Amino acid sequence: MNILVCVKQVPDTTEIKIDPETNTLIRAGVPSIVNPFDTYALEVAARLKDSIGGSKVTVMAMGPEQAKAALKECLSVGADQAYLVSGREFGGSDTLATSYVLSCAVKAVEEKSGENFDIIFCGKQAIDGDTGQVGPELAEHLGYPQITYASDVTFENDTIKVKRENDEGYDYLTCPLPCVITIVKTPYEPRYATIKSKMAANRAVIPTLSAEDLKIDTTMCGLKGSPTKVKKTFTPVREKHGIKIEDKEAADAAKELVDMLSDAKIL
Amino acid sequence: MGYALMTDEQRELVNLLHDFQMKELAPRVEECDLTGEFPMDVHDKLGELGFHGMDIPAEYGGCGFDEVTNYLIREEFGMVDAGFGFSYTLSKSGSSTVIRYGTEEQKKYICDRVLNGAIVCNCITEANAGSEVTAMRTTAKKVGDEYILNGTKCFISNGPIADVYMVIAYTDKSKGSHGLSLFMVPKELGVETGKHENKMGLRASVTGEVIFNDVKVPAKNLVGKEGEGYRNILANLTRNRILNTSIVVGTAQHALNEAIKYANERETFGTPIKNHQGIQFMLADMEQLVQASRNYLIYGANLLQRNAPKDVISQVAAGAKVFASEAAMKVTTDAVQVLGGYGYMREYPVEKLMRDTKIFSIFEGTNQINRMVQGRAITKI
């Protein structure tokens, strides 16, 4: 199985503070991490690789030179090779332009290696933009089937089995390959790097793919290729929804609920 | 960690350990402090990451780290739990006397066992032989191809959970320190363990009695020659003085971090207490002590790495050990002071750091013994 995982380097939002005067993010000094949903996608890919002999996991990120740090992180936890897609032409790309660039990069890597990817994984969304659009748009650009919001993927009897959580339970889906699958938080945690894998990743040389390498239509990427215009950003007002009753014993919790409902004259 | 001179590789390693510890160990620290148990599952997971090999040379399948990297790893361990860090690192570095003085067969044996998760412990102290090592009573009598070990060791770190015991015993009492020999004794030869100590701090590290009752040890398990045991463990003690004390620098750094955090949050007289000079000066003094301790010990680690003359290393190791352990006691005590009443409460982390720190002035040679070592060395003409 030849697997690709698309990742994004994002600011660690748990460390982000908001400037109380301008209401904008203070990005200075904020460490960068691999988008957490992408780390789950990589873990799903690495587990598939472990279960199917002769498999390979490639990671790809679009971003500035510094994004190589994120790719090295991926190389230490299951990825076999990495590509950085980088260039001035790509700056300011929205999701449509980004997914277009990535689709060109997929084709360029396939052409270079002479091997096509069987599955392309993405995290369900990046924690900085939270759009959740790049994965599905990438599938559209490539003309591949897509399954979104998967929590696990296994390979049984020559077909992929994709588990997707919904409000009532789980869906089990399958689709022909090649395909694009976006991943939510998995029931398992991503593996730790080992000392050896970390040191090897640190020494790895990561090739950069430029606009020229991708033979890309530069009017379709960067600011020029981005129809999205940001009108304003704001912090959403948090509304209180519901009450959570957390008692150790179910009977105590039930009693508390009945008391509350009767106090509110609902019962 | 507050050391800006790490190489990229060192930083990666420290970050790897930091992330692991925050996820796997930090949530368990309070429980281990209460129960006095060593979290063996965390030990095993560290093995999966490759840390069991941190004191093993690359040619025997280990990491082959330099001594400054060994320092940095230990300081990071000390940031989260000194007890676990001490126990864990000691369980691997216990192999180092064999790696230095053992036969090829012994080296392969100990490296293989440590890489596969064995816990090694050093057995020196006895009820009546602490600072005065030669007052020990444990004997190893040679009978045919075996030595028969008899005696009881006490306050042995990792004693109750160890798989391999590095034991020092008299092969010839009449020769004093030149009659002491070192043995590598796997538990399965019949080592028994006794009383499990209930300690003030460092509680995730288990400490106890180790009993040798006619334990038959094959002669091939003698490490070095007969009578060289004392000299060889002294060399190892010097290394331990530098590397084990590294842990308490992490503990002091943790205490300082907690004090700074609190001083930013807590307000009195209309301003965070960090703006009061009384607190600000305390924090500055704490930073100086932590940074000075770190750099004194890293100087020692560099001397170890470069195989500096023994008397130079031993003098620096003794001094750095005294300085860093006492600095950490002052820093952790002052962290409790900065947090005030809250600092004294078990709900807050700093009182534990103070308890964990005290032992570092006592073990690896009391600070009095270490002052004596350093004082004698520097006054020689």
Side-chain angles (χ1 to χ4, degrees), chain B residues 2 7 36 49 84 186 203 208 221 228 232 239 242 257 295-296 301 306 313 330-331 342-343 360 375:
Chain B
T7 64
L49 267 63
F84 178 82
R203 293 181 53 84
N221 285 22
E228 286 182 354
N232 293 348
R239 182 172 186 265
I242 294 168
N257 293 352
N295 283 280
Y296 200 166
R306 292 172 200 198
I313 301 185
K330 169 93 174 120
V331 171
Y342 292 106
F360 287 84

Side-chain angles (χ1 to χ4, degrees), chain B residues 241-242 245-246 248-249 292-301 313-327 360 367 370 374:
Chain B
R241 276 176 189 152
I242 294 168
T245 313
S246 314
V248 87
V249 180
S293 302
R294 176 181 292 133
N295 283 280
Y296 200 166
L297 285 162
I298 289 179
Y299 174 50
I313 301 185
S314 101
Q315 184 267 106
V316 171
K321 188 266 184 193
V322 170
F323 186 85
S325 59
E326 290 177 4
F360 287 84
N367 282 8
N370 277 287
Q374 185 173 41

Side-chain angles (χ1 to χ4, degrees), chain B residues 30-306:
Chain B
E30 201 181 333
E31 169 208 328
C32 293
D33 185 47
L34 274 176
T35 60
E37 275 166 28
F38 178 74
M40 196 58 87
D41 55 317
V42 180
H43 165 278
D44 293 346
K45 282 185 191 159
L46 276 167
E48 289 167 25
L49 267 63
F51 279 93
H52 287 354
M54 65 187 177
D55 263 298
I56 310 258
E59 62 263 41
Y60 294 97
C63 304
F65 290 144
D66 62 81
E67 299 288 31
V68 174
T69 304
N70 280 328
Y71 167 88
L72 295 166
I73 288 173
R74 281 160 173 82
E75 188 185 322
E76 179 54 44
F77 269 117
M79 289 281 291
V80 177
D81 188 74
F84 178 82
F86 172 72
S87 218
Y88 180 77
T89 54
L90 200 66
S91 80
K92 308 303 157 223
S93 71
S95 60
S96 62
T97 32
V98 183
I99 292 167
R100 282 179 83 147
Y101 305 109
T103 62
E104 196 53 34
E105 190 191 348
Q106 289 171 342
K107 285 185 205 178
K108 277 192 183 135
Y109 174 82
I110 200 76
C111 292
D112 192 52
R113 295 242 14 208
V114 167
L115 288 171
N116 283 299
I119 288 176
V120 184
C121 79
N122 293 315
C123 301
I124 305 169
T125 303
E126 295 182 11
N128 291 309
S131 295
E132 189 188 356
V133 176
T134 52
M136 74 170 60
R137 291 182 185 156
T138 300
T139 55
K141 194 176 164 199
K142 192 159 188 194
V143 179
D145 276 350
E146 290 173 335
Y147 286 91
I148 299 177
L149 261 64
N150 276 296
T152 300
K153 300 286 182 181
C154 76
F155 300 161
I156 302 303
S157 302
N158 287 339
I161 55 167
D163 302 296
V164 182
Y165 296 81
M166 300 306 303
V167 187
I168 189 140
Y170 273 113
T171 39
D172 186 349
K173 179 105 191 171
S174 69
K175 289 184 182 162
S177 67
H178 296 289
L180 287 166
S181 304
L182 181 66
F183 297 90
M184 176 168 74
V185 187
K187 187 175 174 76
E188 52 271 24
L189 292 180
V191 181
E192 293 160 41
T193 54
K195 192 177 157 208
H196 184 148
E197 303 294 346
N198 189 7
K199 304 192 298 296
M200 169 185 181
L202 220 64
R203 293 181 53 84
S205 164
V206 289
T207 311
E209 260 181 347
V210 179
I211 303 154
F212 302 92
N213 197 358
D214 279 334
V215 176
K216 295 186 178 106
V217 181
K220 65 175 172 115
N221 285 22
L222 171 72
V223 179
K225 293 195 185 106
E226 267 193 31
E228 286 182 354
Y230 187 65
R231 195 193 74 187
N232 293 348
I233 58 152
L234 275 191
N236 199 44
L237 272 181
T238 299
R239 182 172 186 265
N240 280 353
R241 276 176 189 152
I242 294 168
L243 292 181
N244 285 344
T245 313
S246 314
I247 293 166
V248 87
V249 180
T251 310
Q253 180 72 62
H254 181 186
L256 173 57
N257 293 352
E258 293 290 343
I260 290 171
K261 194 171 121 203
Y262 186 81
N264 270 285
E265 287 164 3
R266 172 73 172 179
E267 292 188 12
T268 60
F269 309 106
T271 184
I273 60 170
K274 68 167 180 181
N275 296 328
H276 301 310
Q277 199 179 53
I279 298 294
Q280 206 174 76
F281 278 16
M282 276 177 89
L283 295 171
D285 289 345
M286 289 155 82
E287 167 69 19
Q288 292 153 26
L289 288 173
V290 172
Q291 204 58 269
S293 302
R294 176 181 292 133
N295 283 280
Y296 200 166
L297 285 162
I298 289 179
Y299 174 50
N302 271 308
L303 291 176
L304 282 175
Q305 183 61 31
R306 292 172 200 198

Side-chain angles (χ1 to χ4, degrees), chain A residues 69 72-73 76-77 189-203, chain B residues 8-10 12-13 16 19-20 23-24 45 48-51 54 61-63 65:
Chain A
K72 286 189 172 177
E73 189 74 38
S76 73
V77 286
E189 283 294 306
R191 64 196 60 191
Y192 290 108
T194 67
I195 292 174
K196 279 186 182 146
S197 70
K198 198 93 189 169
M199 295 300 111
N202 218 18
R203 286 189 293 269
Chain B
D8 287 348
E9 198 164 277
Q10 287 166 340
E12 289 279 334
L13 265 171
L16 172 65
D19 291 346
F20 174 86
K23 276 193 201 139
E24 304 288 340
K45 282 185 191 159
E48 289 167 25
L49 267 63
F51 279 93
M54 65 187 177
C63 304
F65 290 144

Side-chain angles (χ1 to χ4, degrees), chain A residues 36 39-44 46-47 77 151 185-192, chain B residues 19 23-24 45:
Chain A
T39 66
Y40 297 124
L42 177 57
E43 181 59 30
V44 171
R47 283 176 181 233
V77 286
S151 65
K185 190 175 187 327
T186 50
Y188 37 79
E189 283 294 306
R191 64 196 60 191
Y192 290 108
Chain B
D19 291 346
K23 276 193 201 139
E24 304 288 340
K45 282 185 191 159

